[in-house]
Amino acid sequence: MQNEKGLPFAHFIANANMNFQTHNRVDAVGYFVTFSAPGAALHSQFYGGQLSAKHRFRERLTATVSGGLRNIESTTTNAGGVRLRDQELVWLFNADITQQFERGSIAGTCSRNINPSGFGLLIRTELCGVTFTFLASETLTLGLSGQVYWVNPIASQGTAASFPSNRYFR
C-alpha cells in the first residue's frame, strides 16, 4: 500500500468490544503500522494494544478513557552504510468527557498518538482541546473549538532528518 506521496505505508487494526448493561463499554484494540521512507533510508513500524472504557454517568454525561503501549522500531542506514536500529516503548492515551444539554454540548479531550510524518520520522502528537456546540435552530448549529498540540519527533539513531519540538494552537 502506498500513500499519496508514493511512500509505502500499511496500517492494520483488530478490535473487540463488550457492552456491560447500558452504561458501560470496554474495547480492546491491537495495532500494527509499518512505514518506509526509501529516500531517507528509513523503515519504521509500531505495534501494540490499547484498552478503552466508556461510561455514561447520567443520561447526558459520558466519559471515555483509553491507554496502551506501542513498541516502536526504526531501522536506518547512515551515510557510511552502517545499518542502525532503534527501539522505544511509548505510552499512548486518550481521555474525553462530553456533557450534552438540551440545545448544545461541551466536550473536552486530551490524547497522545503516534503517526508517520511523511518525511522519514515518526511523530508523537499530544493534544488537549475543548469544543462547544449550540443548536441555534433546527437547521443551524454553531460551534467553537480550540486545541493545543505538542508535536515531537520520535528520535531514530543516525537519521539525517530533524524535526524540532513544536507547539500549535488551533
Side-chain angles (χ1 to χ4, degrees), residues 76-157:
T76 188
T77 305
N78 68 12
V82 177
R83 194 174 163 122
L84 302 170
R85 185 174 181 273
D86 195 13
Q87 183 176 3
E88 184 177 350
L89 196 60
V90 177
W91 171 257
L92 302 181
F93 64 89
N94 184 61
D96 62 59
I97 188 164
T98 302
Q99 173 68 56
Q100 295 182 350
F101 302 101
E102 188 172 319
R103 296 187 56 109
S105 67
I106 182 171
T109 188
C110 287
S111 68
R112 174 188 288 167
N113 210 341
I114 304 293
N115 295 294
S117 67
F119 55 86
L121 290 174
L122 292 174
I123 302 297
R124 179 177 58 227
T125 304
E126 298 164 331
L127 80 89
C128 286
V130 64
T131 301
F132 301 95
T133 60
F134 176 72
L135 181 62
S137 71
E138 288 185 25
T139 59
L140 178 64
T141 301
L142 304 174
L144 177 64
S145 180
Q147 289 95 22
V148 176
Y149 292 84
W150 293 269
V151 180
N152 299 291
I154 296 178
S156 296
Q157 294 181 24

Side-chain angles (χ1 to χ4, degrees), residues 15-20 22-29 31 49-57 61-68 91-98 108-110:
N15 184 17
N17 65 59
M18 182 177 289
N19 291 313
F20 297 97
T22 59
H23 301 298
N24 301 303
R25 177 182 170 131
V26 174
D27 290 294
V29 181
Y31 294 92
Q50 184 165 320
L51 287 176
S52 172
K54 182 175 185 176
H55 180 71
R56 189 172 70 182
F57 294 99
L61 178 64
T62 58
T64 304
V65 294
S66 62
W91 171 257
L92 302 181
F93 64 89
N94 184 61
D96 62 59
I97 188 164
T98 302
T109 188
C110 287

